[in-house]
Amino acid sequence: KSNYPLLKDPRDRSDNAWRTEIGSEFFPCFKDHIVNEEIVFPGAGYVEAGLEAYRRRYYRKVCVLRDIELHNFFSKPMRSNI
């Protein structure tokens, strides 16, 4: 089992969904990712979470990603507590 921070607590063993806390305590790099005066979750984090979810689902260590497009992202105003 991996200790990957974005996939902390499985919601259900039969479901491919996880719960986690997102905040600067767990991810101090957040404050370095600013776009239009908002803190944004790094795109690489989505890719890493997807790779880890794949490994957990299919029990494989290697996969190939192609043509990745990120259309939406998680953001918070800089003045909010994250």
Side-chain angles (χ1 to χ4, degrees), residues 1 14 17 19 28 32 34 36 43 48 50 53 56-57 59 61 65 71 74-75 77 81:
K1 184 175 178 179
S14 63
R19 295 176 194 258
D32 296 332
I34 310 295
N36 295 329
E48 288 183 38
R56 289 186 186 192
R57 174 71 169 100
Y59 307 104
K61 293 186 178 191
L65 299 176
H71 296 275
F74 172 80
S75 68
N81 293 329

Short mmCIF file of all heavy atoms in Angstrom, two decimals, residues 1 14 17 19 28 32 34 36 43 48 50 53 56-57 59 61 65 71 74-75 77 81:
data_model
loop_
_atom_site.label_atom_id
_atom_site.label_comp_id
_atom_site.label_asym_id
_atom_site.label_seq_id
_atom_site.Cartn_x
_atom_site.Cartn_y
_atom_site.Cartn_z
N LYS A 1 0.85 -1.19 0.00
CA LYS A 1 0.00 0.00 0.00
C LYS A 1 0.88 1.24 0.00
O LYS A 1 1.85 1.33 0.72
CB LYS A 1 -0.91 -0.01 1.22
CG LYS A 1 -1.87 1.15 1.24
CD LYS A 1 -2.84 1.03 2.40
CE LYS A 1 -3.74 2.23 2.40
NZ LYS A 1 -4.71 2.21 3.46
N SER A 14 -14.95 -1.11 -2.98
CA SER A 14 -15.40 -1.40 -4.33
C SER A 14 -15.42 -0.17 -5.22
O SER A 14 -15.65 -0.26 -6.42
CB SER A 14 -16.81 -2.01 -4.28
OG SER A 14 -17.71 -1.05 -3.74
N ALA A 17 -12.60 5.77 -5.44
CA ALA A 17 -12.64 7.14 -4.96
C ALA A 17 -11.98 7.21 -3.59
O ALA A 17 -12.07 6.27 -2.81
CB ALA A 17 -14.08 7.64 -4.88
N ARG A 19 -10.82 9.95 -0.15
CA ARG A 19 -11.00 11.21 0.57
C ARG A 19 -9.63 11.66 1.07
O ARG A 19 -8.81 10.84 1.43
CB ARG A 19 -11.91 11.03 1.78
CG ARG A 19 -13.31 10.66 1.44
CD ARG A 19 -14.09 10.43 2.73
NE ARG A 19 -15.33 9.76 2.44
CZ ARG A 19 -16.49 10.38 2.39
NH1 ARG A 19 -16.57 11.66 2.63
NH2 ARG A 19 -17.58 9.71 2.12
N PRO A 28 2.66 22.08 1.42
CA PRO A 28 3.17 23.44 1.56
C PRO A 28 3.46 24.13 0.23
O PRO A 28 3.50 25.35 0.16
CB PRO A 28 4.44 23.28 2.40
CG PRO A 28 4.73 21.84 2.46
CD PRO A 28 3.50 21.09 2.06
N ASP A 32 3.04 28.38 -3.53
CA ASP A 32 3.92 28.73 -4.64
C ASP A 32 3.23 28.63 -5.99
O ASP A 32 3.82 28.96 -7.01
CB ASP A 32 5.15 27.80 -4.65
CG ASP A 32 6.01 27.96 -3.43
OD1 ASP A 32 6.02 29.07 -2.85
OD2 ASP A 32 6.67 26.98 -3.04
N ILE A 34 0.44 30.19 -7.84
CA ILE A 34 -0.52 31.29 -7.90
C ILE A 34 -0.83 31.62 -9.36
O ILE A 34 0.07 31.80 -10.18
CB ILE A 34 0.06 32.56 -7.22
CG1 ILE A 34 0.61 32.24 -5.83
CG2 ILE A 34 -0.97 33.68 -7.21
CD1 ILE A 34 -0.42 31.79 -4.84
N ASN A 36 -3.59 34.29 -11.34
CA ASN A 36 -4.62 35.33 -11.19
C ASN A 36 -5.03 35.53 -9.73
O ASN A 36 -6.20 35.58 -9.41
CB ASN A 36 -5.85 35.01 -12.04
CG ASN A 36 -5.53 35.04 -13.51
OD1 ASN A 36 -4.67 35.78 -13.96
ND2 ASN A 36 -6.23 34.22 -14.28
N GLY A 43 -1.02 21.01 -11.75
CA GLY A 43 -1.45 20.00 -12.72
C GLY A 43 -0.72 18.68 -12.53
O GLY A 43 -1.30 17.62 -12.72
N GLU A 48 -0.15 12.77 -10.99
CA GLU A 48 0.37 11.83 -10.00
C GLU A 48 -0.75 11.07 -9.30
O GLU A 48 -0.63 9.86 -9.07
CB GLU A 48 1.21 12.57 -8.96
CG GLU A 48 2.54 13.04 -9.48
CD GLU A 48 3.36 13.69 -8.39
OE1 GLU A 48 3.32 13.19 -7.25
OE2 GLU A 48 4.04 14.67 -8.69
N GLY A 50 -3.68 10.38 -10.52
CA GLY A 50 -4.21 9.43 -11.50
C GLY A 50 -3.34 8.20 -11.64
O GLY A 50 -3.83 7.07 -11.71
N ALA A 53 -3.79 6.08 -8.51
CA ALA A 53 -5.10 5.41 -8.54
C ALA A 53 -5.04 4.20 -9.48
O ALA A 53 -5.57 3.13 -9.16
CB ALA A 53 -6.18 6.38 -8.99
N ARG A 56 -3.15 1.39 -7.78
CA ARG A 56 -3.97 0.73 -6.74
C ARG A 56 -5.08 -0.11 -7.34
O ARG A 56 -5.43 -1.16 -6.82
CB ARG A 56 -4.56 1.78 -5.81
CG ARG A 56 -3.53 2.41 -4.92
CD ARG A 56 -4.19 3.32 -3.94
NE ARG A 56 -3.19 4.04 -3.16
CZ ARG A 56 -3.48 4.73 -2.09
NH1 ARG A 56 -4.72 4.81 -1.65
NH2 ARG A 56 -2.53 5.36 -1.44
N ARG A 57 -5.64 0.36 -8.42
CA ARG A 57 -6.77 -0.36 -9.04
C ARG A 57 -6.31 -1.62 -9.78
O ARG A 57 -6.93 -2.66 -9.71
CB ARG A 57 -7.49 0.59 -10.00
CG ARG A 57 -8.59 -0.04 -10.83
CD ARG A 57 -9.80 -0.37 -9.96
NE ARG A 57 -10.94 -0.72 -10.76
CZ ARG A 57 -11.32 -1.96 -10.99
NH1 ARG A 57 -10.66 -2.96 -10.48
NH2 ARG A 57 -12.37 -2.21 -11.73
N TYR A 59 -2.96 -2.88 -9.73
CA TYR A 59 -1.80 -3.52 -9.12
C TYR A 59 -0.60 -3.60 -10.07
O TYR A 59 0.13 -4.57 -10.08
CB TYR A 59 -2.15 -4.91 -8.58
CG TYR A 59 -3.34 -4.89 -7.67
CD1 TYR A 59 -4.58 -5.32 -8.11
CD2 TYR A 59 -3.23 -4.38 -6.38
CE1 TYR A 59 -5.69 -5.27 -7.27
CE2 TYR A 59 -4.33 -4.34 -5.54
CZ TYR A 59 -5.55 -4.79 -6.01
OH TYR A 59 -6.64 -4.75 -5.18
N LYS A 61 2.79 -1.36 -11.74
CA LYS A 61 3.66 -0.23 -11.42
C LYS A 61 3.88 0.68 -12.62
O LYS A 61 4.32 1.81 -12.47
CB LYS A 61 4.99 -0.73 -10.90
CG LYS A 61 4.87 -1.41 -9.56
CD LYS A 61 6.20 -1.77 -9.01
CE LYS A 61 6.00 -2.39 -7.64
NZ LYS A 61 7.21 -2.56 -6.91
N LEU A 65 0.77 7.41 -20.12
CA LEU A 65 -0.23 8.46 -20.29
C LEU A 65 0.06 9.20 -21.58
O LEU A 65 1.21 9.52 -21.87
CB LEU A 65 -0.18 9.45 -19.12
CG LEU A 65 -0.45 8.89 -17.74
CD1 LEU A 65 -0.25 9.98 -16.70
CD2 LEU A 65 -1.86 8.34 -17.66
N HIS A 71 -8.84 20.43 -17.95
CA HIS A 71 -9.84 21.44 -18.30
C HIS A 71 -10.28 22.27 -17.10
O HIS A 71 -10.73 23.40 -17.26
CB HIS A 71 -11.06 20.76 -18.94
CG HIS A 71 -10.72 20.10 -20.24
ND1 HIS A 71 -10.69 20.79 -21.42
CD2 HIS A 71 -10.35 18.83 -20.52
CE1 HIS A 71 -10.35 19.97 -22.40
NE2 HIS A 71 -10.13 18.77 -21.88
N PHE A 74 -8.58 22.92 -9.15
CA PHE A 74 -8.97 23.36 -7.82
C PHE A 74 -8.23 24.66 -7.52
O PHE A 74 -7.02 24.74 -7.68
CB PHE A 74 -8.59 22.28 -6.81
CG PHE A 74 -8.78 22.71 -5.38
CD1 PHE A 74 -10.04 22.67 -4.81
CD2 PHE A 74 -7.72 23.14 -4.63
CE1 PHE A 74 -10.22 23.05 -3.49
CE2 PHE A 74 -7.89 23.53 -3.31
CZ PHE A 74 -9.15 23.49 -2.75
N SER A 75 -8.97 25.69 -7.08
CA SER A 75 -8.32 26.95 -6.72
C SER A 75 -9.02 27.57 -5.52
O SER A 75 -10.18 27.29 -5.25
CB SER A 75 -8.33 27.92 -7.90
OG SER A 75 -9.65 28.34 -8.19
N PRO A 77 -8.95 31.58 -3.35
CA PRO A 77 -8.35 32.93 -3.29
C PRO A 77 -7.17 32.93 -2.33
O PRO A 77 -7.15 32.22 -1.33
CB PRO A 77 -9.50 33.79 -2.75
CG PRO A 77 -10.75 33.03 -3.06
CD PRO A 77 -10.35 31.57 -3.00
N ASN A 81 -7.82 30.61 3.91
CA ASN A 81 -6.97 29.67 4.62
C ASN A 81 -6.97 28.36 3.89
O ASN A 81 -7.99 27.71 3.77
CB ASN A 81 -7.46 29.45 6.06
CG ASN A 81 -7.32 30.68 6.89
OD1 ASN A 81 -6.40 31.48 6.66
ND2 ASN A 81 -8.21 30.87 7.84
#
